[in-house]
Amino acid sequence: MNIILLGAPGSGKGTQGTILSKRLDIPRVATGDLLRAAVRDDTPLGREASQFMTRGELVPDRVILGLIEEVLASPEAERGILMDGFPRTVAQAEAVDARLAERGRAVDHVLTFEVPRDELVRRMIGRAAAEGRSDDTPEAFEQRLAVYEEQTTPLLDYYRRRGILTVLDGTGSIDDIAGRVMEAIEQ
Ligand code: AMP
């Protein structure tokens, strides 16, 4: 099963993705985590990505597309994968489709979590205190929300047209939301 989690920063993709990946026994891959590790390890990818990440902008597709291809070509992804934080642009979505099609696969489900803006900001402030991410500042977060609206929400239509998009209420307890996620997957 190949599943994509779409949603604004702070909408719960990471939390729900971790739960769902255990329940379905498929790996969760988050490009944000891979990029943060690359920045920590000071690799060429990390050096290229870090300025964009700190500003709350997307890392350019010319940098990300290679990473996505690598992820989807890996043996762990063979039985299915939970994509958290990618694709984020139409070019990335097309790359995901092409790579999966090469293996005779396709995206099965796309889930998106709806959370009011003031709740997103509240969650970001909580996470900033807990994790200390350089892009969890009010300025970078505003930018990330704007980038999501502009560059990633067009993907909602892209998948809606295919009939594989489920829009979920992303508010409430973690367990409640996880229940909604399972319902959507089982349909
Ligand atoms: P995330 O942890 O998913 O919120 O990602 C943190 C930051 O990493 C984003 O604000 C982007 O700068 C960068 N990033 C993560 N995934 C992608 C992606 N698929 N395309 C472009 N930039 C990404």
Coordinates of all heavy atoms in Angstrom, one line a residue, residues 3 5-6 18 23 25-28 43 50 64 68 76 87 92 103 117 125 136 139 144 148-149 156 167 169 172 180:
I3 N 0.9 5.2 0.5 CA 0.0 6.3 1.1 C 0.8 7.6 1.2 O 2.0 7.6 1.5 CB -0.5 5.8 2.5 CG1 -1.2 4.5 2.4 CG2 -1.3 6.9 3.1 CD1 -1.6 3.9 3.7
L5 N 0.7 11.4 3.0 CA 0.1 12.3 4.0 C 0.4 13.7 3.5 O 1.6 14.1 3.4 CB 0.7 12.0 5.4 CG 0.5 10.6 5.9 CD1 1.1 10.6 7.4 CD2 -0.9 10.2 5.9
L6 N -0.7 14.4 3.3 CA -0.5 15.8 2.9 C -1.1 16.7 4.0 O -2.0 16.2 4.7 CB -1.4 16.1 1.7 CG -0.8 15.9 0.3 CD1 -1.9 16.3 -0.7 CD2 0.3 16.8 0.0
T18 N 3.6 8.1 12.0 CA 4.3 7.1 12.8 C 3.3 6.0 13.3 O 3.7 4.8 13.2 CB 4.9 7.9 14.0 OG1 5.8 8.9 13.5 CG2 5.7 6.9 14.9
R23 N 0.9 0.4 12.3 CA -0.3 -0.4 12.1 C -0.2 -1.2 10.8 O -0.7 -2.3 10.8 CB -1.5 0.5 12.2 CG -1.8 0.9 13.6 CD -3.2 1.5 13.7 NE -3.5 1.8 15.1 CZ -4.4 2.7 15.5 NH1 -5.2 3.2 14.6 NH2 -4.6 2.9 16.8
D25 N 2.5 -1.8 9.1 CA 3.8 -2.4 8.9 C 4.5 -2.0 7.6 O 4.9 -2.9 6.8 CB 3.7 -3.9 9.1 CG 5.1 -4.6 9.2 OD1 6.0 -3.8 9.7 OD2 5.2 -5.7 8.9
I26 N 4.4 -0.8 7.2 CA 5.1 -0.2 6.1 C 6.0 0.9 6.5 O 5.6 1.6 7.5 CB 4.2 0.2 4.9 CG1 3.2 1.2 5.3 CG2 3.6 -1.0 4.2 CD1 2.4 1.8 4.2
P27 N 7.1 1.1 5.9 CA 8.0 2.2 6.4 C 7.4 3.6 6.2 O 6.8 3.9 5.1 CB 9.3 2.0 5.6 CG 9.0 1.2 4.4 CD 7.8 0.4 4.8
R28 N 7.6 4.5 7.1 CA 7.3 5.9 7.0 C 8.5 6.6 6.6 O 9.6 6.5 7.2 CB 6.8 6.5 8.3 CG 6.8 8.0 8.4 CD 6.4 8.5 9.7 NE 6.6 9.9 9.8 CZ 7.7 10.5 10.4 NH1 8.6 9.7 11.0 NH2 7.8 11.8 10.4
T43 N 26.3 17.0 4.9 CA 26.5 16.4 3.6 C 26.3 17.4 2.5 O 25.7 18.5 2.8 CB 25.6 15.2 3.3 OG1 24.2 15.8 3.2 CG2 25.6 14.2 4.4
S50 N 19.9 23.5 3.6 CA 19.7 24.2 4.9 C 19.2 25.6 4.8 O 18.3 26.0 5.6 CB 21.0 24.1 5.8 OG 21.9 25.0 5.4
I64 N 15.4 17.9 -4.6 CA 14.6 16.9 -4.0 C 14.2 15.7 -4.9 O 14.1 14.6 -4.4 CB 13.2 17.6 -3.6 CG1 13.5 18.6 -2.4 CG2 12.2 16.6 -3.2 CD1 13.8 17.9 -1.1
I68 N 13.8 11.8 -3.7 CA 12.6 11.0 -3.9 C 12.8 9.7 -4.7 O 12.3 8.6 -4.3 CB 11.4 11.9 -4.5 CG1 11.0 13.0 -3.5 CG2 10.3 11.1 -4.9 CD1 10.0 13.9 -4.0
E76 N 13.4 -1.3 0.9 CA 12.4 -1.1 2.0 C 11.0 -0.7 1.4 O 10.0 -0.9 2.0 CB 12.8 -0.2 3.0 CG 14.1 -0.5 3.7 CD 15.3 0.0 2.9 OE1 15.5 1.3 2.8 OE2 16.0 -0.8 2.4
P87 N 5.0 14.0 -1.8 CA 5.3 15.1 -2.6 C 4.7 16.4 -2.1 O 3.7 16.4 -1.4 CB 4.7 14.8 -4.0 CG 3.6 13.9 -3.7 CD 4.0 13.1 -2.5
Q92 N 7.0 17.0 -8.0 CA 7.3 15.9 -7.2 C 6.2 14.8 -7.3 O 6.5 13.6 -7.3 CB 7.4 16.4 -5.7 CG 8.6 17.3 -5.5 CD 8.8 17.7 -4.0 OE1 8.2 17.0 -3.1 NE2 9.5 18.8 -3.8
R103 N 7.2 0.2 -11.2 CA 7.1 -1.1 -10.5 C 5.7 -1.7 -10.6 O 5.3 -2.5 -9.8 CB 7.5 -0.9 -9.0 CG 8.9 -0.6 -8.8 CD 9.1 -0.4 -7.3 NE 10.5 -0.5 -7.0 CZ 11.0 -0.4 -5.7 NH1 10.2 -0.4 -4.7 NH2 12.3 -0.5 -5.5
R117 N -6.0 27.5 11.5 CA -4.7 28.1 11.6 C -4.2 28.4 13.0 O -3.0 28.2 13.3 CB -4.8 29.4 10.8 CG -3.5 30.1 10.5 CD -3.7 31.4 9.8 NE -2.5 32.1 9.6 CZ -1.7 32.0 8.6 NH1 -2.0 31.2 7.6 NH2 -0.6 32.6 8.5
I125 N 4.3 26.3 18.4 CA 5.0 26.8 19.6 C 5.4 25.7 20.6 O 6.5 25.7 21.1 CB 4.1 27.9 20.2 CG1 4.0 29.1 19.3 CG2 4.6 28.3 21.6 CD1 2.9 30.1 19.7
D136 N 11.0 26.4 13.3 CA 9.8 26.6 14.2 C 9.8 27.9 14.9 O 9.6 28.0 16.1 CB 9.6 25.4 15.2 CG 8.9 24.2 14.6 OD1 8.2 24.4 13.5 OD2 9.0 23.1 15.2
E139 N 8.3 33.6 12.3 CA 8.5 34.1 10.9 C 8.6 32.9 9.9 O 8.0 32.9 8.9 CB 9.8 34.9 10.8 CG 9.9 36.1 11.6 CD 10.1 35.8 13.1 OE1 10.8 34.8 13.4 OE2 9.6 36.6 14.0
R144 N 6.3 29.0 6.0 CA 5.9 27.6 5.7 C 4.4 27.4 5.4 O 4.1 26.6 4.5 CB 6.4 26.6 6.8 CG 7.9 26.5 6.8 CD 8.4 26.0 8.2 NE 8.0 24.7 8.5 CZ 7.8 24.2 9.7 NH1 8.1 24.9 10.7 NH2 7.4 22.9 9.9
Y148 N 2.9 26.3 1.8 CA 2.0 25.1 1.7 C 0.8 25.5 0.9 O 0.4 24.8 0.0 CB 1.6 24.7 3.1 CG 0.5 23.6 3.1 CD1 0.9 22.3 2.7 CD2 -0.8 23.9 3.3 CE1 -0.1 21.3 2.6 CE2 -1.8 22.9 3.2 CZ -1.4 21.6 2.9 OH -2.4 20.6 2.7
E149 N 0.2 26.7 1.2 CA -1.0 27.2 0.5 C -0.7 27.3 -1.0 O -1.5 26.9 -1.8 CB -1.4 28.6 1.0 CG -2.1 28.5 2.4 CD -3.4 27.7 2.3 OE1 -4.1 27.8 1.3 OE2 -3.7 27.1 3.3
L156 N -4.0 18.8 -3.8 CA -5.2 18.3 -3.3 C -6.1 18.0 -4.5 O -6.8 16.9 -4.6 CB -5.9 19.2 -2.3 CG -5.1 19.5 -1.0 CD1 -5.8 20.5 -0.2 CD2 -4.9 18.2 -0.2
V167 N -10.2 13.9 3.0 CA -9.9 15.0 3.8 C -10.4 14.7 5.2 O -11.6 14.4 5.4 CB -10.7 16.3 3.3 CG1 -10.4 17.5 4.2 CG2 -10.2 16.6 1.9
D169 N -10.7 15.5 9.5 CA -10.7 16.5 10.6 C -9.4 16.2 11.4 O -9.3 15.1 12.0 CB -12.0 16.3 11.4 CG -12.0 17.2 12.7 OD1 -11.0 18.0 12.9 OD2 -12.9 17.1 13.5
G172 N -8.7 17.3 17.7 CA -9.2 16.3 18.7 C -8.0 15.5 19.2 O -6.8 15.9 19.0
R180 N -9.9 8.0 12.7 CA -10.4 8.5 11.4 C -9.5 8.0 10.3 O -9.9 7.7 9.2 CB -10.4 10.0 11.5 CG -11.5 10.6 12.4 CD -11.4 12.1 12.5 NE -11.9 12.5 13.8 CZ -11.4 13.5 14.5 NH1 -10.4 14.3 14.0 NH2 -11.9 13.8 15.7

